[in-house]
């Protein structure tokens, strides 16, 4: 009986579930596997250096929620991106774009009791066949989301990954929108993440 149950095909997820929540997307080739000495929520400054990162400084904020709209408090958000020149701080990046010693490259932040997060960074530069995007690895209480965030107003349909997102709803879910200004008057972008299967 147990063997028979193990051989049964796994039930397919309901079609509506595939259209809901933030889409799972590839981790990408430049996950920062090397040790990262600084992971605070301000990517534009590196401790001990007087200058800020090159590029357009922005703030990104949002909330991690489940499919019922409830916040996911304490979600762990690991993010990384290119700098203002279009380079990842990664040994395998052979783009030829300049590294920026004043750019942190990534951050790990913990969402607050309402699932909210906020980071200060620079708007990532496109590279090769990719448009502007930021990578995210988010761990909730029960579910993990690996995804990428795109920016509204960019030619995202020319990106090598964005057109493959399954539904129009999930394309919207993967795209940040302008939302006022952050500290010091920098442009602010809003992006919520929804963890399908989180309860």
């Amino acid at each position: 009986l147990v063997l028979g149950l193990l051989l049964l095909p796994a039930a397919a997820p309901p079609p509506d579930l595939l259209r809901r929540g933030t889409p799972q997307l590839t981790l990408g080739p430049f996950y920062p596997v090397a040790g990262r000495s600084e992971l605070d929520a301000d990517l534009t400054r590196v401790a001990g250096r007087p200058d800020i990162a090159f590029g357009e400084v922005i703030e990104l904020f949002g909330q991690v929620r489940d499919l019922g709209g409830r916040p996911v408090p304490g979600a762990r958000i690991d993010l990384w991106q290119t700098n203002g020149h279009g380079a990842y701080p990664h040994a395998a990046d052979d783009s030829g774009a300049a590294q920026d010693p004043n750019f942190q490259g990534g951050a790990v932040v913990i969402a607050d009791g309402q699932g909210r997060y906020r980071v200060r960074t620079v708007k990532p530069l496109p590279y090769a066949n990719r448009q502007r995007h930021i990578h995210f690895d988010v761990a909730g209480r029960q579910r993990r989301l690996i995804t990428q965030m795109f920016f509204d107003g960019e030619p995202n349909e020319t990106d090598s990954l964005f057109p493959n997102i399954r539904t129009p709803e999930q394309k919207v879910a993967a795209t940040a929108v302008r939302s006022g200004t952050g500290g010091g008057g920098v442009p602010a972008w809003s992006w919520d993440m929804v963890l399908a299967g989180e309860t």
Side-chain angles (χ1 to χ4, degrees), residues 116-134:
R116 295 171 299 197
Y117 73 96
R118 180 178 290 267
V119 296
R120 190 175 183 90
T121 185
V122 298
K123 202 170 185 183
L125 207 68
Y127 69 94
N129 56 358
R130 300 301 314 276
Q131 294 300 322
R132 300 179 195 269
H133 64 283
I134 299 177

Side-chain angles (χ1 to χ4, degrees), residues 2-159:
V2 172
L3 180 61
L5 290 172
L6 290 174
L7 294 176
L8 286 174
D16 64 326
L17 185 60
L18 296 177
R19 293 191 294 270
R20 300 166 68 193
T22 305
Q24 292 275 355
L25 299 173
T26 178
L27 188 68
F30 300 119
Y31 179 77
V33 292
R36 296 185 282 178
S37 60
E38 191 171 343
L39 292 171
D40 61 46
D42 187 352
L43 284 72
T44 68
R45 292 189 177 275
V46 173
R49 302 192 66 90
D51 298 322
I52 67 168
F54 174 82
E56 180 187 355
V57 177
I58 63 171
E59 285 192 6
L60 174 65
F61 69 95
Q63 186 182 42
V64 183
R65 295 180 285 115
D66 65 19
L67 282 175
R70 296 173 291 267
V72 180
R76 182 182 187 273
I77 303 166
D78 186 354
L79 63 103
W80 64 101
Q81 62 170 90
T82 61
N83 64 23
H85 300 290
Y88 284 95
H90 193 285
D93 184 345
D94 59 0
S95 64
Q99 293 293 332
D100 183 356
N102 300 310
F103 183 60
Q104 190 170 288
V108 175
V109 297
I110 304 300
D112 70 10
Q114 292 300 312
R116 295 171 299 197
Y117 73 96
R118 180 178 290 267
V119 296
R120 190 175 183 90
T121 185
V122 298
K123 202 170 185 183
L125 207 68
Y127 69 94
N129 56 358
R130 300 301 314 276
Q131 294 300 322
R132 300 179 195 269
H133 64 283
I134 299 177
H135 297 262
F136 283 80
D137 181 355
V138 183
R141 295 166 299 202
Q142 297 170 310
R143 304 295 290 180
R144 182 180 179 191
L145 170 69
I146 295 173
T147 193
Q148 297 179 27
M149 184 208 82
F150 297 83
F151 289 84
D152 189 34
E154 300 287 335
N156 293 322
E157 289 295 343
T158 66
D159 182 82

